[in-house]
Every structure is written in C-alpha cells, then in structure tokens.
Amino acid sequence: MKTADYLKDLEKCVRCGSCKAYCPTYDEDGTEAMGARGRLALLREVSLQRLKPTPLLNDKIFSCILCGACSGLCPSGVDITEDIYYGRSILKQSDKTRRYLRFLTKFFSKNPNLNFKILQMFQFILLPYFTKKGFLPSNFKLSENTFKNGQQVYKPSKTRGRVAIFTGCSTNFLYPHLGKSLIDVLLEAGYEVIVPNGEVCCGVPLRTLGLEKEALELAKKNMRIFGKLKVEAVLSLCPTCILAIKEQYPKLIGKGIGNAMDISSFLLDKLDLHHLSLITKHPATVTYHDPCHLIYGLGIKNQPRELLEKIGVNVIEKRGEGCCGFGGLFSLSYRDISNSLLQKQTDKYLKTGANVIVTACPGCMMQLSKGVNKPVFHIIELIEEAYCGSDEV
Ligand code: SF4
Ligand code: SF4
C-alpha cells in the first residue's frame, strides 16, 4: 500500500460503527479505541500529525487481532485490516513494547530451521516453560522432524492432476503429521503432490508487528517459487497462509498466488465421498470451530461442514461465531484478552455436548487445545481417516 492510498482509505470511513458488531476486542473492552472505528480514527489523527504516538495509542492499534470480522461489515469498503497493517508499520519506531518480539520474529523468519533445532535441543526446559506461560497446550509434544525436507514430489499410482503444498510454519514445525495426512488424501485422490524447496514464512507474523518491508521480501521469495509451478492449485492447511499468498500479496507486491486454495474447497470439489462414513474410534458427533481467516478472510463457511457431513460426521453448531483468541503473536502479546476469548469460545463448545472439536487451522487447534480437555482435530485428520482408512489419528 502507498501512503496516499492509505490516507484515502482512512478518509472513506463515515464513522457508522457497523464494524464493531463482531469485533472481539471491542466486545472484551467496550471502549471505542478497541474497535475498528476507533482504531482508524487514531491512525488518521496520527497521519495528519494531530496526535503523536504514545504507548497507550500503540497499544490500541497493536491489540487488534486482525481477525477480519469487521471487514465485510463496512458499507464504505474501508480495507480495515490493510490500514491497520500499514498503520503499524508507521508506528513501529515508537513501539518499544514489542521490540524484542520484533527482533525474535525477524530472527525466526530468517532462520526457522536453526530455531527448530534450538527448540529441539532445549525442549526439556523450553516446552514446560511455554506450557506454564500458557503459550502451548499441556499435552503438546515436539516432533522429531519437520514436515519439509528439501524438494519433495509424491506420485500417485494413477495421476489425475498436480497440486503443490504451501506448508506454512505451524504445519512444518509444530504439526508435521497434518502435512502427511494431506499428502495421503491427495495421493489417494490421484494427485501428484509437490512440496517445493525454498518456501519461507508467508510474512503475516512480521506484518502484525509492522515489519512490512521484511514481509515484502518473504512474499517475493514465495512468489518466485510458487509463481512458476504448473499446478492446478496451491493448497495449505493454514488459512492465514492462503489469505496471505492469495489476497495480501497483490497488495504488498502487486501479484499473488491466484490458484491458492484452502483444502476444504478443493477436497469438496475433487474427492468422491459418496460411499464414505467414518468407521473409526472417533465419535461421529463433533462441533466445528471457524478459523477467522477462513470464514472472514476467505469467505469459507459451508465447505468444511459439507465435507464433515459427507464423511459421516454430525456437526453440532455452537451459538454464535467468535475468535478463539489465538491471532498468532496476539496470543503472546495480549495474553489476558486471548485467554478470555478462548474461555468464551470453549464455554460455548462445551455446551454443545460434543466430545470432539474440529477446526481447519493449526493455530486454532493449538489455542483450543489449551482451553478444553477434549480432543481437537484439524479437519484433514478426519478426512484422511475416512478417505484413506488410516488408523493413525
Ligand atoms: S480485525 Fe478483528 S479485532 Fe481488529 S478491529 Fe476488526 S474485528 Fe476488531
Ligand atoms: S464500518 Fe466502515 S465506515 Fe463504518 S465505522 Fe467501521 S470502518 Fe468506518
């Protein structure tokens, strides 16, 4: 985004307040500055130099989860989340509170494998520490290996098409078994699967801290790799990654990965699920959690539910939508709000009486696992079990 576009976009706000209807942080706090309208007003005043950044002002802007619940509600078409990303890039110089987080996030995004090795080496100290601090679920175990290991190409016995996987950091380092499940399903469906070498972080964690320039460099690297692949679709288990590479990259670098898709939409279209039912140890009644970037960012609501129905799973809906409070680095910076949002959602899920929570985002999986004493699965695990007959879940 250019500064002139940013200012023009901020001016589009007619202060109607519709954006506050589903804002989780406004709902928590109830003050104007914790909703989109108030945040945009603050950013406008800063850009017109009528307000100077202060720790309090920065706190209001950096406490937005960037969930996107407000975006579709704006009658003026203000690009609220992009304005907040851009506003943060202006405020980052004055924002000392998150300077260490910025340093660590930059370091991680440049050296992810090294960081994973450090985490592995010191996991006996680090994992209990992170669990105690509430960053990780108590049952979290670190895998021995990452999902990616150089360029990987998987060929089915009879090829029907070709797809690539954008792995994302959470699947690669924290939940590599999800990547394996996706490959198994795609191979069973007859797709050749490419996991290209050289993928880097999608850039969203950097953007949330105002590090637009650094995120832009990552976007260019990913475009160089995925832009030239001749594949039907680029799939990811993480809706945030899809949102970034498909919708945010065009705003950042002028082009995105147009054939990027979330797995539910792709699999619903491609898998023949007519004769399946879930013959497993899992109860066939679950409740489903909508990841914010999937439902608000990509507009995907029915597809995961239809998929679950087709594999013989009954979905009990909770009352009302809502963010689980993860938001990537948000859950580290704003632990109280994050925990309170998690509590609200888990209370709703527990009221459904379902024994299992299913979602479609590794981040939501991790967050929800901290809040409930019930199994939380990524939808791909259930699809694999039903479609490939796996008993590994
Ligand atoms: S992105 Fe989410 S948290 Fe931020 S202002 Fe919009 S609804 Fe509120
Ligand atoms: S909905 Fe749009 S126009 Fe209305 S207050 Fe929010 S940002 Fe402004």
Side-chain angles (χ1 to χ4, degrees):
M1 195 186 255
K2 295 193 178 86
T3 308
D5 296 334
Y6 165 69
L7 295 175
K8 224 161 112 189
D9 207 58
L10 289 177
E11 289 302 333
K12 276 166 40 185
C13 173
V14 294
R15 334 251 199 284
C16 67
S18 309
C19 48
K20 295 193 289 187
Y22 294 114
C23 175
T25 54
Y26 180 74
D27 193 39
E28 275 295 300
D29 184 276
T31 60
E32 179 68 11
M34 289 297 274
R37 182 174 70 177
R39 288 179 172 122
L40 296 181
L42 289 174
L43 290 175
R44 210 174 82 256
E45 293 305 299
V46 170
S47 65
L48 295 172
Q49 299 185 342
R50 293 199 291 234
L51 266 183
K52 281 204 167 94
T54 62
L56 184 62
L57 185 147
N58 289 342
D59 188 57
K60 303 301 174 195
I61 304 301
F62 282 90
S63 61
C64 167
I65 310 175
L66 291 158
C67 64
C70 49
S71 300
L73 301 172
C74 177
S76 307
V78 179
D79 197 342
I80 299 170
T81 49
E82 278 303 311
D83 289 347
I84 289 177
Y85 279 125
Y86 194 84
R88 287 183 184 185
S89 73
I90 293 171
L91 294 174
K92 74 168 186 291
Q93 293 294 1
S94 63
D95 181 48
K96 305 292 177 217
T97 311
R98 278 154 284 270
R99 60 189 183 281
Y100 297 119
L101 199 52
R102 263 182 210 100
F103 172 79
L104 288 172
T105 309
K106 274 201 265 188
F107 184 70
F108 176 83
S109 64
K110 278 190 187 147
N111 314 282
N113 289 315
L114 173 67
N115 280 278
F116 180 71
K117 282 198 179 105
I118 294 172
L119 188 58
Q120 261 184 336
M121 275 168 62
F122 297 104
Q123 60 176 302
F124 300 109
I125 303 166
L126 292 174
L127 293 190
Y129 173 78
F130 288 140
T131 304
K132 196 170 158 207
K133 288 278 175 192
F135 300 149
L136 289 173
S138 55
N139 60 356
F140 181 79
K141 287 197 177 60
L142 198 62
S143 289
E144 275 180 32
N145 298 307
T146 57
F147 169 69
K148 287 190 294 177
N149 180 17
Q151 163 110 346
Q152 294 149 258
V153 179
Y154 300 85
K155 290 189 186 287
S157 45
K158 200 168 163 206
T159 304
R160 168 187 176 194
R162 200 164 182 250
V163 294
I165 294 181
F166 188 96
T167 305
C169 301
S170 49
T171 299
N172 192 35
F173 297 109
L174 303 177
Y175 294 117
H177 68 283
L178 299 180
K180 186 186 167 300
S181 296
L182 177 58
I183 287 175
D184 288 349
V185 171
L186 291 168
L187 287 176
E188 184 74 19
Y191 282 90
E192 181 180 329
V193 186
I194 301 164
V195 183
N197 195 18
E199 175 199 311
V200 289
C201 166
C202 67
V204 169
L206 290 163
R207 295 195 81 199
T208 61
L209 291 168
L211 299 166
E212 290 286 278
K213 198 162 65 64
E214 291 79 356
L216 190 142
E217 290 309 317
L218 297 184
K220 284 183 186 164
K221 280 186 187 166
N222 283 326
M223 272 310 295
R224 277 199 288 275
I225 291 161
F226 285 89
K228 65 179 184 220
L229 291 177
K230 302 274 178 277
V231 289
E232 204 172 306
V234 173
L235 305 171
S236 181
L237 295 159
C238 174
T240 303
C241 292
I242 294 292
L243 186 65
I245 65 181
K246 190 183 175 89
E247 307 285 347
Q248 294 184 358
Y249 282 10
K251 295 169 190 169
L252 261 182
I253 56 170
K255 56 186 170 183
I257 301 169
N259 60 351
M261 277 179 96
D262 98 284
I263 56 144
S264 312
S265 318
F266 183 83
L267 296 178
L268 187 64
D269 187 35
K270 304 292 180 187
L271 298 189
D272 179 8
L273 296 166
H274 286 102
H275 310 296
L276 292 181
S277 64
L278 198 67
I279 314 158
T280 69
K281 51 196 163 194
H282 296 307
T285 298
V286 306
T287 182
Y288 176 75
H289 170 77
D290 288 290
C292 292
H293 288 164
L294 194 63
I295 187 167
Y296 304 127
L298 297 163
I300 307 282
K301 179 173 183 177
N302 295 331
Q303 295 88 328
R305 291 172 169 82
E306 277 183 51
L307 264 175
L308 288 169
E309 197 184 298
K310 285 196 171 178
I311 60 171
V313 174
N314 176 30
V315 180
I316 312 176
E317 298 288 348
K318 71 171 163 69
R319 286 169 74 91
E321 300 173 347
C323 173
C324 66
F326 180 62
L329 298 175
F330 172 85
S331 61
L332 304 185
S333 290
Y334 292 91
R335 259 196 295 158
D336 290 348
I337 304 178
S338 172
N339 287 339
S340 169
L341 292 174
L342 173 62
Q343 185 68 50
K344 275 187 201 164
Q345 293 311 312
T346 51
D347 286 351
K348 289 184 201 168
Y349 287 123
L350 293 175
K351 278 191 191 140
T352 65
N355 289 328
V356 173
I357 300 180
V358 181
T359 187
C361 166
C364 297
M365 246 176 99
M366 174 170 286
Q367 175 81 345
L368 292 167
S369 302
K370 291 191 293 189
V372 286
N373 199 11
K374 290 179 187 289
V376 181
F377 289 111
H378 192 289
I379 189 170
I380 195 63
E381 297 177 89
L382 271 70
I383 295 169
E384 183 197 22
E385 193 171 354
Y387 192 64
C388 310
S390 161
D391 60 358
E392 287 178 14
V393 180

